[in-house]
Amino acid sequence: MTVRRLSAGLVAAALFTPGLAACNASGTPTAGSSASPSVSASGTPATSGSAAPASGDAKQALLASTREISNGNFRFTMSGVGSTAEGRVHEPTQSAEMRVTIGKPTDDLFMKLDLVHYKPDSWVKVELGGTTAKSVPGVQKLNLGKYQHLDQTRIKGNRNLGFDFDKVDPAGSEVLTQGITEVRQTGEGAYAGTIDVSKAAEAGSVDPTVITALGAQAKSVPFTAKLDPQGRLSEMVIQIPAAGQTKAQDIRITYSDYGTATAAQKPPADQVVEAPTELYNLFN
C-alpha cells in the first residue's frame, strides 16, 4: 500500500505500532478511554435536550470539516501508544516539519526525530537513547546532534522519510471520516459515533497490524470529534479497544492555525551533514 502523505509511514510504522512500544519494557501505552460513543469529544455527556441533527447531517458536517486541510496551511498534533508527533504544513512555501517522540528517556529504547521539508530538500535530526540504543546498527553515525540532509533519489517512495504535497494531511482525516458508520451531534461542534477503521488503513494513523488484531471489532470503533467555530476539524479521538497483545489506546489527532501557519525553517548550514547509509537502512 502506498501512502503519499507527510511522513504518514513514519507515523503509522513508528508512532502507532505496538511492536515499537513493546521494545520499551518500561513504556506505558496510552490507556483507552472508557467513554462510550454517547460522550462528547470534551468528555461531557450529551445533553438530552439538545437539538441533534440526523446522523446523515452529522456525517456530512464531519466530511466537510476536512476540506480546509487540503489547502495545506495548518498545525497538527498526533498521539498514541505513549508517543507523540507535532508539526506544521505550509503549502504556500512548499515547506513542512514534524517532530516525533517515541517513548521516554527512561525506556529501553527512546527516539526523537525532527523532520524538515522545504522543497526540493529534506532533513532529519535523529536522537536515539535507552539501554538498547547501542544495538541499533550505525548508531554512532546517527546520534550526531545535527540535521542530516536526505538524498531525494534514495527516499523516493519511502513512506518513512518521503514527502508529497499532493496529500498533505499527516493523519489522513479525510479517509478516516469516510469510514464513519454512525455519528450524532452531542453538543456545539461536538460529535461522537463509530468508525470502521478496517477501511482507514490508508489514512496512516491506524497501523494495519492493529486493525488485523481487532478483527470484527475494527468495523465499529468508538470515536469523538470537535469542530472549530468555522466548521473545521479541530480534534478527533479514536478509542481503539484492547485486542490480542495490543492494549486499549486512544489515537488523538488535532488541527489548529488554519490559514495562519508559518513556513518551516531550513536548518542552518553549519548544522547540516549528508545522511549516511545507516540512516536510510534504519527507515527502509
Side-chain angles (χ1 to χ4, degrees):
M1 176 181 65
T2 301
V3 179
R4 298 180 300 123
R5 195 169 286 123
L6 170 60
S7 297
L10 179 60
V11 173
L15 190 58
F16 301 125
T17 300
L20 265 182
C23 290
N24 300 322
S26 59
T28 303
T30 303
S33 171
S34 60
S36 69
S38 61
V39 176
S40 73
S42 62
T44 305
T47 303
S48 58
S50 62
S55 178
D57 293 337
K59 183 171 181 177
Q60 286 304 311
L62 287 177
L63 289 172
S65 74
T66 65
R67 292 173 185 165
E68 183 67 21
I69 298 173
S70 64
N71 289 331
N73 192 330
F74 57 87
R75 288 181 177 273
F76 65 90
T77 69
M78 303 175 70
S79 64
V81 197
S83 301
T84 62
E86 62 175 349
R88 54 183 158 174
V89 178
H90 193 252
E91 196 278 338
T93 57
Q94 297 279 278
S95 67
E97 66 177 344
M98 176 185 283
R99 292 173 299 281
V100 180
T101 301
I102 303 171
K104 53 186 181 295
T106 56
D107 290 340
D108 292 340
L109 181 62
F110 168 74
M111 179 184 290
K112 290 181 68 174
L113 301 170
D114 189 348
L115 288 136
V116 179
H117 302 279
Y118 210 117
K119 197 173 182 178
D121 294 298
S122 299
W123 303 263
V124 61
K125 182 162 64 173
V126 181
E127 178 185 343
L128 290 169
T131 57
T132 63
K134 59 184 178 182
S135 65
V136 176
V139 65
Q140 300 89 344
K141 296 182 179 180
L142 301 175
N143 277 349
L144 301 176
K146 292 189 175 184
Y147 286 89
Q148 302 185 44
H149 181 254
L150 301 170
D151 182 343
Q152 295 297 311
T153 64
R154 300 185 70 172
I155 64 172
K156 185 176 182 180
N158 187 311
R159 297 179 58 219
N160 296 327
L161 299 174
F163 183 87
D164 192 330
F165 272 100
D166 289 341
K167 293 187 177 181
V168 297
D169 185 5
S173 292
E174 180 181 2
V175 177
L176 289 174
T177 55
Q178 289 172 353
I180 290 173
T181 54
E182 183 273 329
V183 63
R184 58 196 172 280
Q185 188 169 1
T186 58
E188 186 65 30
Y191 298 83
T194 57
I195 185 171
D196 183 352
V197 296
S198 68
K199 298 180 180 179
E202 182 188 343
S205 51
V206 182
D207 188 77
T209 61
V210 173
I211 297 173
T212 300
L214 287 172
Q217 293 185 88
K219 296 186 177 298
S220 186
V221 174
F223 82 94
T224 59
K226 289 181 181 179
L227 308 188
D228 67 12
Q230 289 73 44
R232 304 169 299 196
L233 185 65
S234 61
E235 179 187 82
M236 177 176 282
V237 180
I238 303 174
Q239 300 158 1
I240 304 292
Q245 296 183 352
T246 303
K247 293 185 178 181
Q249 59 181 282
D250 281 359
I251 294 177
R252 186 180 302 272
I253 304 158
T254 71
Y255 299 92
S256 62
D257 294 353
Y258 284 108
T260 61
T262 55
Q265 299 298 308
K266 297 180 181 180
D270 62 353
Q271 292 297 310
V272 174
V273 296
E274 287 300 317
T277 299
E278 287 80 2
L279 179 74
Y280 300 106
N281 292 340
L282 179 64
F283 292 100
N284 281 330

XYZ file of all heavy atoms in Angstrom, residues 22 29 114 161 177 183 252 262 278:
69
model
N 6.457 -2.208 22.420
C 6.870 -3.386 23.181
C 8.372 -3.403 23.418
O 8.849 -4.052 24.347
C 6.438 -4.648 22.449
N 1.761 2.233 27.220
C 0.909 2.716 26.156
C -0.221 3.563 26.726
O -0.634 3.384 27.874
C 0.357 1.430 25.525
C 1.334 0.364 25.928
C 1.811 0.771 27.282
N 13.383 14.982 14.221
C 12.982 16.314 13.788
C 13.144 16.342 12.269
O 14.251 16.371 11.752
C 13.878 17.367 14.454
C 13.360 18.778 14.220
O 12.458 18.955 13.372
O 13.859 19.708 14.872
N 10.382 8.626 5.198
C 11.105 9.878 5.066
C 10.611 10.755 3.923
O 11.014 11.904 3.818
C 12.602 9.596 4.863
C 13.302 8.839 5.992
C 14.734 8.494 5.593
C 13.288 9.640 7.284
N -12.777 10.001 8.160
C -14.187 10.401 8.243
C -15.044 9.643 7.233
O -16.231 9.405 7.478
C -14.352 11.917 8.021
O -13.741 12.291 6.780
C -13.705 12.705 9.147
N -22.835 8.373 13.538
C -22.385 9.582 14.218
C -23.599 10.438 14.561
O -24.612 10.421 13.860
C -21.391 10.385 13.343
C -22.044 10.869 12.057
C -20.811 11.548 14.128
N -5.187 10.265 19.191
C -5.713 11.633 19.223
C -5.031 12.486 18.149
O -3.799 12.526 18.050
C -5.472 12.254 20.599
C -6.094 13.634 20.802
C -5.789 14.163 22.200
N -6.281 13.240 23.213
C -7.521 13.270 23.720
N -8.375 14.176 23.291
N -7.875 12.399 24.651
N 3.003 29.243 9.788
C 4.150 29.870 9.145
C 5.032 28.822 8.471
O 4.906 27.628 8.727
C 4.979 30.646 10.173
O 5.350 29.753 11.238
C 4.173 31.800 10.743
N 23.564 4.309 6.879
C 22.885 3.735 8.046
C 21.521 4.371 8.295
O 20.604 3.709 8.784
C 23.766 3.897 9.290
C 24.982 2.986 9.336
C 26.137 3.488 8.484
O 26.007 4.583 7.873
O 27.178 2.816 8.441
